[in-house]
Amino acid sequence: MRSAAEHEVPTLHRLGLSSFQNRDRFDWGWTEEYLQYLLSTSSGFLHVAEVAGEPQIVGLHCGVWNYPECREDQCRFYWLYIDSRFRRRGIGTQLIQYSLARAAERGKRSAIVGIWGSDEPARQVVEHLGFQQVETLNLMRLTLD
């Protein structure tokens, strides 16, 4: 586990593209520009996972240390992606634990994460780490012609 490097942003964007840019759901801003922003400011983070003997990054986790709706001692976790060939090996758990350790180093006392209702694997990972549901969010859309 480590922080991503600036030159890796295009590769990381491609890794998560099919998972995080879905025309049938709300677009949460999965762009190279936003990933670059997370790396270029002190407000965000982009962590990656590598596996010994593998030539490429197999997972990523990103979010923000500071978020307008959060208290000063909270951070918000966004995207977690693990290459399908490496899922169910604990890599997602390790990435989140890495991010939690970095958050604690920054004086954060809690982390907030949002999970799609249908994403049971993500829910299981964060619940296993001790996250508890505190609120339910309903997204609503109006299409403008």
Side-chain angles (χ1 to χ4, degrees), residues 2-3 31 37 49 61 66 79 82 97 116 142 144-145:
R2 64 174 174 79
S3 291
T31 64
Y37 165 78
H61 183 234
N66 302 300
W79 300 290
I82 307 299
Q97 288 172 323
W116 289 105
L142 171 65
L144 302 174
D145 294 323

Side-chain angles (χ1 to χ4, degrees), residues 20-23 25-31 79 116 141:
F20 305 127
Q21 268 190 347
N22 183 334
R23 293 186 188 270
R25 292 199 315 210
F26 184 75
D27 176 7
W28 290 101
W30 183 256
T31 64
W79 300 290
W116 289 105
R141 180 188 334 212

Side-chain angles (χ1 to χ4, degrees), residues 12-142:
L12 298 174
H13 179 255
R14 278 193 306 278
L15 284 176
L17 198 57
S18 64
S19 297
F20 305 127
Q21 268 190 347
N22 183 334
R23 293 186 188 270
D24 298 329
R25 292 199 315 210
F26 184 75
D27 176 7
W28 290 101
W30 183 256
T31 64
E32 282 189 48
E33 292 78 15
Y34 192 70
L35 295 177
Q36 190 68 44
Y37 165 78
L38 292 175
L39 278 179
S40 66
T41 68
S42 61
S43 62
F45 66 88
L46 182 50
H47 299 142
V48 297
E50 298 172 304
V51 173
E54 287 296 320
Q56 63 192 36
I57 292 168
V58 300
L60 65 92
H61 183 234
C62 58
V64 290
W65 300 125
N66 302 300
Y67 195 78
E69 291 86 19
C70 288
R71 296 187 323 255
E72 184 65 28
D73 64 347
Q74 289 180 326
C75 59
R76 182 158 296 188
F77 289 176
Y78 290 154
W79 300 290
L80 175 67
Y81 169 83
I82 307 299
D83 183 305
S84 61
R85 297 171 298 146
F86 295 91
R87 291 183 185 153
R88 306 209 47 82
R89 297 186 190 186
I91 295 170
T93 298
Q94 291 174 45
L95 268 170
I96 294 172
Q97 288 172 323
Y98 183 83
S99 296
L100 289 169
R102 304 296 73 74
E105 290 170 358
R106 291 175 159 268
K108 303 300 179 180
R109 298 181 48 138
S110 65
I112 305 295
V113 63
I115 299 174
W116 289 105
S118 61
D119 194 348
E120 192 56 32
R123 178 180 306 285
Q124 290 174 0
V125 167
V126 298
E127 285 180 349
H128 171 75
L129 288 166
F131 284 77
Q132 298 174 340
Q133 184 172 336
V134 293
E135 217 169 310
T136 300
L137 171 68
N138 294 308
L139 292 178
M140 301 170 79
R141 180 188 334 212
L142 171 65

